[in-house]
Each structure stands twice: as structure tokens, then as C-alpha cells.
Amino acid sequence: MKAPSIIHIQFVALRRLLGETKEQFCFRIRNMFQKIFEWIMSLRLFSWLYITVQNLLIKSLSVGPIPEHVSFIMDGNRRYAKSRRLPVKKGHEAGGLTLLTLLYICKRLGVKCVSAYAFSIENFSRPKEEVDTLMNLFTVKLDEFAKRANDQKDPLHGSRIRIVGDQSLLSPEMRERITRVEEITKEGQDFLLYICFPYTSRNDMFHTIQDSVQDRLETKLQSRIDIKKFTNKMYMDLYSNKCELLIRTSGHRRLSDYMLWQVHENATIEFSDTLWPNFSFFAMYLMILRWSFFCTIQRYNERNHSFFERMYEGVPSILKRKKKPMSLYQFPNPPLSVSISGEE
């Protein structure tokens, strides 16, 4: 008796699947679970539950200290596309969507400034096709952000964008577009986004030195160039002083010539093994929660009060145990003195 055709087809498909390599098999399984998860999240009940939990976590985190400046090294877009057998362009598009989602979250949490490492000067050494793809995608995202920043119904309304880096390496058309977008969003006061494009920290410091010396020669001022003046001349202006939380994805444990000046003062650097397009709200939430927890402890220590001491201070004086005065005769005898010169 022959098996039904549908069962026979499934057995053939299973035999082919088992005959594939381990890497292909893992890819198929991962892709299957991803589709199942996307289908579950598309259901109204689960979507409502996810949003409700997210709002609750954001409100609870907003009670404590929040970093003023959060920065992202968005690494892993190419590997994301390769792992899913997609064009590199799709990986960068997915990375852009992740950044937009996290910008919404940061603005709701009360973060004042977000910076993102979008394109390193070293990336010009990549294949021309990929560089052109990044440039075209960048222009599209610029226009999209400007549109959202001026839309009163969008959560990013009231935001300002600044593109920082060595713009002399960009085409005149790109520089003109950047100037136009910055002009459109210059009135934004609620939230500031720095896109580092193209950028390296060494280039930032080099240009700052050049500009500082040039201003000194032109104005002929006798005042010295101090750290504060030097810092305020960097690409990120007042936010060049420090970055409280720097997050890098994709598993690499290095800064790649990014934010070397900004992370010098009590910065928390978090490394995640997750590829940037897969970096979720919950992953960032846990990092900010950890930062908030240790920041609270640090602030208590700076005030020279432990948690239990503060609790003891809140107890009414009538309930506190009074310390008995100690007389001079109750102190222990001093230790024996010994001459180090040998003289008595």
C-alpha cells in the first residue's frame, strides 16, 4: 500500500534536509523558529502583551538615574545578511530599522543624546559597491529622520540630528544634503542624535587641534588652550565631554577608534555577542538597568553614606541606642616605643 503523496513529499523533504550540511541545517532550524516567533508576535494578544510589558519596564526604569549620552557601535550587519543568505544591502537596512527602534526607546526613557557609529573612515577601503550602497542608504535614512522629526504625531518629533566627522571625504551632493537636513531639524530641543559619518576618534582629535591652533593664530589671544575649551571644539560639542554608556554588538571586544576621548570618565562599556540587527529592546534595557543600579550605588558612596546608614538616619531619635560617653582611663595603654637609631 502506497503512502499518500503529501506524506511521501514530506519524507523526501526530510531526507534532503538530513543530507545537508550541519550549517545549512542550523540555518533552516533558526529560520523556522524566527518565522514562528514573528507569527506569534503578529497575533493581537501577544502584540498587546509585548507593548504592555515594554511600557511597564520603561516606566520602572525611568524612576532611577538614566544615562544622558548613550552611544552605539552598530556592528554585525554584514554577518547578519550572510547568515540569512541575503544581499549585504538587506543587512544594513535591517540595522537602520534597529537603530530607529532603539531611538524611540531612548527618547521615551529620557536619554538626551544618542550617538551612533555609522561609517568609519577606514570603511572607504571596502568594495566600492558596498560603499555606494551605504551612501545611498544613508541619504534615505537622513530624509526619513527629518520627516519624522517634523511630524507632530511621530514619537521622534522635536528631535535634532547632527552628522559629525570629516565631511571633506564626502561628495558635494552629500554635504549639501547633510546641511539641509541639519537645518530642517535645528529647532529640536527634546532629543539629539549624532550620526558619526565618516568618523574616527583620531580624526576628531586631529581636527580639534587644528581648529584650536588656527583660532589662536587668527584671534591672537594670549589665553591658554585648556581641556574644557579643547573638548568643546570637538565634533560633538558639549556632549564630547563624556559618554555614560557605550554599547558594541557582534561580539568584538574593541572600540575600533571610536569615542576614545568621550569614554575616559566613568564610562560603562558593554559588549554584546548579538548582531546589531538582532539587538533587541530587552538587551538594551538590561544594560541600562545595570548602569542605573551601579550609578545609584556610586552616588551613595560619593555622599559617604551607605544604604544602612541612610536607613539608620531615618529612624526616630527616641528609638536609637544612645552611646555612653567614654572616659580617658578606658582607652588601652599605648604600644611600647622602640628607638630605630639604637639610642636610649
Side-chain angles (χ1 to χ4, degrees), residues 14-30:
L14 180 61
R15 195 182 305 118
R16 289 179 179 176
L17 183 62
L18 294 176
E20 293 179 348
T21 63
K22 181 180 179 180
E23 181 180 355
Q24 293 172 327
F25 178 76
C26 292
F27 170 76
R28 293 282 186 90
I29 296 297
R30 186 168 60 249

Side-chain angles (χ1 to χ4, degrees), residues 191-238:
F191 184 75
L192 177 59
L193 171 64
Y194 284 105
I195 297 295
C196 301
F197 185 98
Y199 178 90
T200 61
S201 217
R202 290 175 297 171
N203 179 268
D204 191 358
M205 289 183 272
F206 172 75
H207 277 275
T208 304
I209 294 172
Q210 269 193 330
D211 294 342
S212 299
V213 173
Q214 187 67 29
D215 288 350
R216 181 79 180 275
L217 294 175
E218 290 178 356
T219 58
K220 297 182 180 179
L221 295 176
Q222 299 301 320
S223 60
R224 298 179 60 184
I225 301 174
D226 55 19
I227 294 295
K228 184 178 181 181
K229 292 179 181 178
F230 182 86
T231 303
N232 291 340
K233 277 191 170 294
M234 299 184 80
Y235 285 139
M236 297 184 189
D237 300 329
L238 298 178

Side-chain angles (χ1 to χ4, degrees), residues 59-235:
K59 290 180 179 179
S60 63
L61 189 58
S62 301
V63 176
I66 296 295
E68 187 175 358
H69 182 185
V70 176
S71 189
F72 298 109
I73 299 180
M74 306 180 293
D75 193 17
N77 293 337
R78 291 192 297 174
R79 275 176 284 168
Y80 173 86
K82 184 179 179 181
S83 66
R84 284 159 176 75
R85 300 177 183 176
L86 298 173
V88 176
K89 179 182 178 181
K90 295 296 182 181
H92 292 300
E93 289 177 352
L97 182 61
T98 299
L99 176 62
L100 183 63
T101 303
L102 296 182
L103 289 179
Y104 285 137
I105 302 300
C106 288
K107 189 171 184 292
R108 290 183 59 191
L109 281 172
V111 176
K112 295 298 182 182
C113 173
V114 169
S115 55
Y117 202 10
F119 193 86
S120 170
I121 294 177
E122 308 299 331
N123 288 344
F124 281 110
S125 61
R126 291 184 178 182
K128 184 178 183 302
E129 182 181 355
E130 183 178 354
V131 173
D132 292 341
T133 298
L134 286 170
M135 293 294 174
N136 294 332
L137 179 62
F138 180 68
T139 56
V140 172
K141 293 301 178 182
L142 272 182
D143 294 336
E144 181 182 351
F145 184 90
K147 182 179 179 181
R148 292 178 181 275
N150 288 291
D151 185 359
Q152 295 184 356
K153 297 181 180 179
D154 195 276
L156 286 177
H157 175 68
S159 301
R160 180 187 175 194
I161 187 171
R162 284 203 55 207
I163 314 303
V164 295
D166 192 350
Q167 295 186 11
S168 64
L169 301 174
L170 302 175
S171 64
E173 294 80 12
M174 178 66 76
R175 293 199 296 269
E176 182 180 352
R177 185 182 292 265
I178 288 173
T179 302
R180 183 174 61 84
V181 171
E182 289 182 340
E183 182 68 22
I184 292 174
T185 63
K186 70 177 183 178
E187 300 299 330
Q189 300 293 330
D190 300 336
F191 184 75
L192 177 59
L193 171 64
Y194 284 105
I195 297 295
C196 301
F197 185 98
Y199 178 90
T200 61
S201 217
R202 290 175 297 171
N203 179 268
D204 191 358
M205 289 183 272
F206 172 75
H207 277 275
T208 304
I209 294 172
Q210 269 193 330
D211 294 342
S212 299
V213 173
Q214 187 67 29
D215 288 350
R216 181 79 180 275
L217 294 175
E218 290 178 356
T219 58
K220 297 182 180 179
L221 295 176
Q222 299 301 320
S223 60
R224 298 179 60 184
I225 301 174
D226 55 19
I227 294 295
K228 184 178 181 181
K229 292 179 181 178
F230 182 86
T231 303
N232 291 340
K233 277 191 170 294
M234 299 184 80
Y235 285 139

Side-chain angles (χ1 to χ4, degrees), residues 65 290-300:
R290 185 161 49 242
W291 180 92
S292 181
F293 175 75
F294 287 108
C295 180
T296 303
I297 294 177
Q298 184 180 11
R299 290 181 182 180
Y300 276 125

Side-chain angles (χ1 to χ4, degrees), residues 273-318:
D273 293 333
T274 307
L275 300 179
W276 172 249
N278 290 329
F279 192 70
S280 63
F281 158 75
F282 291 105
M284 188 184 72
Y285 175 84
L286 291 175
M287 291 180 179
I288 296 181
L289 178 64
R290 185 161 49 242
W291 180 92
S292 181
F293 175 75
F294 287 108
C295 180
T296 303
I297 294 177
Q298 184 180 11
R299 290 181 182 180
Y300 276 125
N301 293 334
E302 288 174 354
R303 295 171 185 171
N304 296 322
H305 287 291
S306 67
F307 176 73
F308 294 103
E309 287 175 344
R310 292 182 63 85
M311 288 184 61
Y312 184 74
E313 289 176 358
V315 175
S317 59
I318 193 173

